[in-house]
């Protein structure tokens, strides 16, 4: 894999992307005046819009729940993709070729785009063929499983005819034979001749979270077909079977909202579950559930490694009761500890999969199957106990020995104790016997749960604090383009250290930082979190706020000279002074596309959300007067400070004896003349 995406490319993609266009795909936005847009927040339920988007600075912020960031962060939060994936997606959208820090180039961008285009064309072709005479076995297959034409349309099911019909249709659209082979739509024989990979089969499109078709899964229909029952697209530049889930494009929103994912075993099971109302169902594609699938699910569920964050998500596995299903259960259990969310197993009493269950007993039976799921640990313990004759002492002892490692692997001590009691009840043995078996297992070394938790703790911290980790992980802290800072931020206003840094008694720290006993909090011991809503309401603070907002949102309208002059103003509110000082450090980037991101990176991390609010909050001015308003609020703050300085100088002049100290008297007069000149210059702006 190539290294980090160049920062210049990240900035270029950001500058070429209108955040309103991207956010508008998910949220109905209306003009809020002053170049701002607002709508109902997609991250929390609300009736009055508090979600604002400011295209001039490329940021969004919700004043209800606090969510905010740039266009990359929005895609990360909405579609649960990594920072790198968000950049690559937007780059593909505008046709921009990315480069990497190690000198590499996204040379596969063209290939990826062509493969995706070929897959989209093939999907349309397959869907059109489902109504053909040749596809009658496919329609019969769907009908026998309770799927009508509307269901086939909803899930994009199609049919691949025999012969070279697909190749001819796609060549007519400009795709070369080599491109179709590369996409996995055609296969190449030993003598170099090509053939349709999915011929005479029912075909399901496999899409990513955006709905782009990455590949296909095809089901055998004819007895004369000697190939496997299910055939999938081979590995390509866009299709990696261990990293895709069928139905994810349809289920992702409900998974994120309901904090639940139901993992079934096949395409028709996904269809049946969704049609029955279980719209969080997905399936693996030709491979068992593995580590990469866990990563996808954790992003969608918001699954956190933070021990202080309660795990509220549910991962529900459905398995067939046959041998293959039991093996699948064992593989899933091996990955269970990778989730912070609770894991469950749902198996129909009569062994029917969701598709057959819906066909035999209706939609409610599928919903009931999910509602009556059992915890994964209970399922695995009972499975081990079922192998032994519990009517005999030897059988009970052997069963407890098999179940003990599973109980010992439960991370939660209270839950572990509870399952020890349940295991005793299921076997009819004394609870002390089970506890002893579990305790001996744990004394033998780290329990399964402890080892996994320890590994997860290490993994959670790995890579954070460097740019590579930031591009790999979602939410690695305040970032500029997703690349984390490698230096501790300093509070320009107070000289304090970064939030969370160790501080000496009495030292000033940023809001929210851990402080030693007696440390000075600039907001006071019981101050609320820093936000626009908690700012002091005195006229000076309001004026400082409006000036900083103007510079962040409309720097070109304010102009470099006024921004530079603002840097000499004495601010009364330390956080606004910190933002103002960060602005002063980057005057050379005043009109860059990443202007706000640069300031977010520069300020102490505790101030980053505050900067985003300042950059997005509506400016109280009509659009046609916005430029003049922004200049004026900055001029007013500078003039007010000059007036204060003039007042101080006049007082000092009155206290100075010209005869006794003529040099000081002369300097004070010169300073007064300079200030008056500066004030006259402001009035001519």
């Amino acid at each position: 894999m190539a290294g980090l995406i160049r920062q210049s490319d990240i900035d270029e993609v950001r500058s070429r992307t209108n955040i309103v266009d991207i956010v508008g795909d998910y949220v109905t936005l209306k003009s809020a005046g002053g170049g701002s847009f607002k709508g109902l927040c997609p991250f929390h339920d609300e009736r009055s819009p508090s979600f604002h988007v400011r295209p001039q600075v490329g940021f969004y912020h919700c004043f209800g729940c606090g969510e905010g960031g740039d266009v990359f962060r929005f895609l990360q939060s909405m579609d649960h993709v990594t920072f790198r994936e968000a950049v690559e997606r937007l780059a593909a959208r505008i046709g921009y070729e990315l480069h990497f820090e190690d000198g590499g180039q996204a040379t596969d961008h063209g290939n990826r785009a062509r493969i995706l285009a070929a897959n989209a064309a093939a999907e349309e072709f397959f869907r059109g063929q489902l109504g053909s005479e040749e596809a009658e076995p496919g329609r019969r297959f769907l009908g026998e499983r309770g799927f009508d034409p509307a269901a086939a349309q909803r899930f994009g099911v199609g049919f691949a005819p025999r012969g070279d019909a697909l190749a001819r249709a796609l060549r007519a659209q400009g795709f070369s034979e080599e491109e179709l082979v590369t996409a996995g739509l055609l296969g190449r024989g030993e003598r170099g001749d090509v053939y349709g990979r999915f011929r005479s089969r029912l075909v399901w499109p496999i899409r990513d979270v955006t709905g782009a078709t990455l590949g296909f899964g095809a089901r055998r229909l004819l007895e004369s077909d000697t190939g496997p029952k299910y055939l999938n697209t081979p590995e390509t530049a866009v299709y990696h079977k261990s990293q895709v889930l069928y139905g994810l494009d349809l289920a992702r929103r409900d998974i994120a909202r309901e904090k639940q994912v139901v993992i079934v075993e096949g395409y028709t099971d996904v269809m049946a579950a969704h049609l029955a109302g279980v719209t969080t169902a997905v399936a693996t594609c030709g491979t068992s559930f593995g580590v990469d699938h866990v990563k996808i699910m954790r992003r969608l569920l918001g699954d956190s490694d933070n021990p202080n964050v309660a795990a509220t998500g549910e991962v529900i596995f459905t398995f067939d009761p046959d041998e293959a299903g039991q093996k699948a259960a064992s593989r899933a259990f091996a990955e269970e500890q990778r989730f912070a969310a609770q894991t469950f197993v749902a198996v129909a009493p009569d062994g029917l999969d969701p598709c057959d269950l819906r066909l035999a007993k209706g939609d409610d039976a599928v919903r009931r199957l999910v509602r009556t799921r059992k915890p994964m640990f209970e399922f695995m313990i009972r499975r081990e106990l079922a192998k032994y004759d519990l009517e005999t002492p030897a059988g009970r002892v052997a069963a407890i020995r098999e179940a003990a490692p599973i109980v010992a692997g439960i991370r939660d001590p209270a839950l572990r104790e509870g399952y020890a009691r349940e295991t005793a009840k299921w076997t009819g043995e004394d609870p002390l016997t089970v506890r002893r078996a579990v305790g001996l297992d744990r004394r033998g070394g780290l329990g399964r749960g402890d080892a996994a938790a320890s590994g997860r703790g290490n993994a959670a911290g790995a890579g954070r604090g460097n740019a590579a980790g930031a591009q790999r992980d979602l939410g690695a802290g305040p970032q500029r383009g997703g690349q984390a800072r490698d230096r501790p931020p300093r509070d320009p206003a107070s000289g304090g250290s970064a939030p969370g840094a160790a501080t000496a008694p009495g030292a000033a720290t940023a809001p929210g930082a851990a402080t030693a006993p007696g440390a000075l909090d600039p907001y006071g011991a019981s101050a609320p979190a820093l936000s626009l809503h908690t700012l002091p309401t005195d006229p000076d603070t309001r004026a400082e706020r409006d000036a900083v907002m103007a510079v962040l949102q409309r720097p070109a309208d304010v102009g470099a000279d006024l921004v530079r002059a603002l840097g000499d103003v004495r601010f009364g509110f330390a956080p606004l002074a910190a933002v103002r000082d960060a602005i002063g450090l980057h005057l050379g980037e005043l009109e860059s596309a990443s202007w706000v991101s640069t300031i977010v990176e520069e300020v102490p991390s505790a101030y980053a959300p505050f900067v985003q609010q300042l950059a997005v909050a509506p400016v109280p001015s009509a659009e046609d007067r916005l430029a003049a308003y922004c200049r004026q609020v900055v001029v007013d703050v500078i003039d007010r400070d000059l007036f204060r300085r003039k007042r101080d100088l006049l007082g000092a002049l009155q206290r100075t004896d010209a005869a006794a100290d003529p040099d000081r008297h002369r300097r004070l007069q010169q300073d007064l003349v300079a200030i008056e000149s500066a004030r006259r210059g402001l009035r001519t702006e």
Side-chain angles (χ1 to χ4, degrees), residues 384-403 423 426-429:
E384 293 303 317
L385 299 182
K387 297 176 182 178
Y388 299 92
D389 182 2
L390 300 182
E391 297 299 322
T392 66
R396 290 193 293 273
V397 170
I400 290 171
R401 285 175 178 167
E402 287 294 319
T423 302
W426 294 330
T427 57
E429 282 291 328

Side-chain angles (χ1 to χ4, degrees), residues 296-356:
I296 296 170
M297 291 297 95
R298 293 196 68 195
R299 288 206 301 265
L300 288 169
L301 291 168
D303 204 27
S304 174
D305 284 306
N306 188 342
N308 298 319
V309 177
T312 57
E314 293 185 352
V315 181
I316 303 171
F317 295 90
T318 66
F319 301 115
D320 292 337
D322 58 15
E323 183 178 352
Q326 295 299 306
K327 290 181 179 179
S330 297
R331 288 191 296 266
F333 183 62
E335 306 295 344
E336 186 275 340
Q337 292 283 351
R338 297 182 185 274
F339 288 104
Q342 300 177 61
T343 54
F344 297 87
V345 175
V347 179
D350 44 10
L352 298 174
D353 59 33
C355 182
D356 290 336

Side-chain angles (χ1 to χ4, degrees), residues 416-434:
R416 185 167 60 244
E417 174 67 21
Y419 273 111
R421 290 196 302 269
E422 288 297 304
T423 302
K425 183 174 69 175
W426 294 330
T427 57
E429 282 291 328
D430 189 320
L432 183 60
T433 301
V434 177

Side-chain angles (χ1 to χ4, degrees), residues 262-281:
V262 178
I263 301 166
V264 298
E265 294 196 350
Y267 308 123
T268 57
D269 290 335
V270 171
M271 294 176 68
H274 279 254
L275 293 172
V278 182
T279 55
T280 57

Side-chain angles (χ1 to χ4, degrees), residues 62 95 142 167 234 316 351 359 422 442 602-603:
C62 176
L142 293 171
I316 303 171
L359 195 61
E422 288 297 304
R442 293 184 65 79
E602 184 63 45
V603 298

Side-chain angles (χ1 to χ4, degrees), residues 623-643:
E623 185 69 32
D624 58 347
R625 299 186 57 205
L626 194 55
Y629 167 85
C630 288
R631 289 182 65 83
Q632 191 59 50
V633 293
V634 175
V635 166
D636 289 346
V637 169
I638 297 171
D639 188 48
R640 185 178 302 189
D641 185 66
L642 288 172
F643 178 78

